[in-house]
Amino acid sequence: MANYTLKVRRFQPESGEGPYWEEFKVDLEPSLAVLDGILQAKDRDDGSLSVRCSCRAAICGSCGMKINGQSGLGCKTQIGEAQELADKQASATGASGEGNSIVIEPMGNMPVIKDLITDMESTHWTKIRRVTPWLLPHGEPPEREYVVDPESMIDITQSMACIQCGACVSSCLSMEADPGFIGPAALAKAYRFVGDPRDAETHERLHDLAEDPHGIYDCTHCFSCIDACPKGVAPMDQIMRLRRKAGEEGIEDPNSGHDHEIAFVKIIEKKGTLDESLLLQESFAPGVKGKLKPSKRAIREMLGSIPTAIRGIKTGKMRSLHKLIPGVHPKLPDQDDVKAIYAHAEEHNEEFNLYIKGEEGELAEENVEKGIERSTDPETAQEVKNG
Ligand code: SF4
Ligand code: SF4
Ligand code: FES
């Protein structure tokens, strides 16, 4: 048994007061969960301390919260580990390294109803409904069940693992800047149907998500949702899959996100380093041999980027004016390693589905040959070819 201090951000709307912090002392085994500590405090000290929970086994998705600033599940985070992180964070700021308070807050990007209980309806569930979270097959339904090739479902198993806890939404940096962003959970759910072979509206779904200014191109690849997700859904990866599929369908996104990605790849391949001014040109008006392809849209976008370029100069991101001229930025001297990386990526045109944990037959043998071992941890990733 060990002692811990929980520093909880509280909000009791009926009091008419704003949020405040309160500390609770709890004692429990380090292997028990932060949620157990909160329930102990509620039981022993203050019955009005409010938290939403049900299964206490990382299944129902009810107990999303922020622990030491990180979004996750209260029932899946061991209190001993939370203490270690609290101490590490404190020592990084020069404070004492032991016995620091474990900071517990309600999830972010959602209104707080009371203490640790947030309003999931106004953000999370509204956005989930936004992506039409059900199958849209065409034609008469079969007499019995749909029969699909098991292999064709591998691609969506990762997104199917979502328990709708909202931890990814809580951690999403794009949502902080743009509350209208459809968000990681809803977009992961969208991929669950886009990738389903039974769904007949793939193209329409992709069009819808690409054309929405708060859609798939609003994600900034910050990885926060991947870190926060307790079920390995990796929402950002699902968003990247949506983008890739939209590109394959020839869908032009309104903010040039797909062209931007291609421009990155092309410039790094050519120069081994990022030529920011060329990036601007290639993203908005991909030209032939470095020549700007004139179009009304390209000119409009380039002109619209001038304030960003000026900010880049002011903040020192672009250190000299001449680097604003496309193509002037020098190449790195040795391109062999860069070329090798591109060749490897080309040759191994495969994606890793980090959720799938088991594989059979040829794939298992292939992995044994490659020296890839089967994980014994049910939550741990297993590499699977996911063409
Ligand atoms: S990777 Fe994208 S969706 Fe995920 S948290 Fe960051 S901005 Fe949000
Ligand atoms: S994707 Fe992960 S973090 Fe987001 S709601 Fe689903 S289970 Fe929770
Ligand atoms: S209580 Fe069900 S996921 Fe935590």
Side-chain angles (χ1 to χ4, degrees):
M1 209 70 94
N3 294 315
Y4 301 97
T5 304
L6 306 181
K7 184 177 174 186
V8 184
R9 186 176 162 90
R10 302 202 59 187
F11 174 57
Q12 302 270 319
E14 63 276 10
S15 73
E17 302 292 320
Y20 60 100
W21 293 98
E22 188 170 359
E23 291 196 342
F24 297 95
K25 304 271 181 212
V26 296
D27 55 323
L28 63 175
E29 293 296 335
S31 59
L32 288 178
V34 168
L35 178 64
D36 293 313
I38 296 169
L39 293 177
Q40 189 182 92
K42 181 179 172 70
D43 186 39
R44 291 184 185 171
D45 300 320
D46 184 350
S48 74
L49 177 58
S50 302
V51 61
R52 192 186 274 136
C53 63
S54 179
C55 70
R56 297 170 74 175
I59 293 168
C60 73
S62 306
C63 67
M65 60 185 73
K66 276 190 185 175
I67 302 166
N68 296 318
Q70 296 186 346
S71 301
L73 295 178
C75 71
K76 196 170 183 251
T77 310
Q78 291 187 344
I79 198 159
E81 286 177 3
Q83 182 66 65
E84 280 172 28
L85 181 61
D87 292 344
K88 216 166 157 186
Q89 288 176 343
S91 63
T93 62
S96 147
E98 276 189 17
N100 293 283
S101 305
I102 297 168
V103 179
I104 299 169
E105 297 166 85
M107 285 196 286
N109 292 328
M110 304 176 202
V112 178
I113 296 174
K114 187 174 184 178
D115 291 340
L116 300 173
I117 300 176
T118 50
D119 176 7
M120 298 278 284
E121 175 58 29
S122 67
T123 44
H124 180 71
W125 292 115
T126 305
K127 286 167 194 287
I128 293 283
R129 283 194 292 275
R130 156 73 185 80
V131 302
T132 319
W134 53 83
L135 274 181
L136 296 170
H138 283 178
E140 284 297 306
E143 219 167 273
R144 291 170 64 89
E145 67 273 22
Y146 286 96
V147 179
V148 290
D149 173 8
E151 287 293 311
S152 66
M153 298 297 280
I154 287 179
D155 198 31
I156 55 169
T157 45
Q158 198 172 12
S159 51
M160 285 164 78
C162 175
I163 56 170
Q164 307 297 345
C165 66
C168 55
V169 173
S170 164
S171 73
C172 179
L173 300 183
S174 285
M175 259 181 158
E176 269 179 40
D178 172 17
F181 176 37
I182 296 175
L187 289 173
K189 177 60 100 183
Y191 189 75
R192 185 254 168 274
F193 294 103
V194 163
D196 193 312
R198 296 166 295 177
D199 197 273
E201 306 243 342
T202 306
H203 190 75
E204 293 77 359
R205 286 180 189 271
L206 288 169
H207 247 292
D208 171 40
L209 297 172
E211 278 167 7
D212 189 327
H214 309 292
I216 48 179
Y217 296 104
D218 213 8
C219 164
T220 56
H221 298 197
C222 73
F223 284 79
S224 286
C225 55
I226 295 187
D227 292 342
C229 180
K231 304 304 279 185
V233 173
M236 188 189 86
D237 290 353
Q238 312 312 323
I239 298 171
M240 294 309 116
R241 287 173 172 164
L242 287 168
R243 287 189 186 184
R244 196 173 315 129
K245 280 203 186 280
E248 285 164 8
E249 295 266 334
I251 295 169
E252 192 186 343
D253 65 278
N255 60 5
S256 303
H258 183 62
D259 288 338
H260 194 57
E261 280 181 12
I262 291 176
F264 254 99
V265 174
K266 211 160 122 184
I267 294 167
I268 299 283
E269 185 176 21
K270 194 170 154 202
K271 296 197 156 189
T273 179
L274 193 61
D275 180 340
E276 301 250 12
S277 52
L278 201 56
L279 182 67
L280 205 61
Q281 170 185 315
E282 287 287 341
S283 302
F284 293 134
V288 184
K289 293 188 179 164
K291 298 271 185 312
L292 189 64
K293 190 170 77 183
S295 76
K296 271 191 194 156
R297 181 177 169 219
I299 294 165
R300 197 177 58 240
E301 300 282 11
M302 297 281 281
L303 289 176
S305 303
I306 289 174
T308 312
I310 293 172
R311 269 203 307 278
I313 295 168
K314 277 189 181 160
T315 56
K317 193 176 178 206
M318 278 188 176
R319 278 190 289 276
S320 54
L321 262 180
H322 81 274
K323 286 203 177 160
L324 280 176
I325 304 164
V328 169
H329 194 105
K331 254 185 178 186
L332 283 189
D334 184 1
Q335 298 299 306
D336 288 350
D337 287 348
V338 176
K339 283 196 185 111
I341 292 168
Y342 274 76
H344 183 87
E346 191 72 29
E347 192 188 333
H348 301 82
N349 186 17
E350 63 188 42
E351 211 187 324
F352 298 128
N353 182 332
L354 296 176
Y355 186 73
I356 311 289
K357 329 183 257 296
E359 78 267 31
E360 292 173 5
E362 280 179 19
L363 191 55
E365 285 163 25
E366 197 181 309
N367 279 351
V368 169
E369 277 167 28
K370 285 184 191 167
I372 298 168
E373 288 178 8
R374 180 185 288 272
S375 167
T376 50
D377 177 354
E379 293 287 339
T380 305
Q382 176 73 38
E383 213 172 5
V384 171
K385 189 170 181 181
N386 187 23

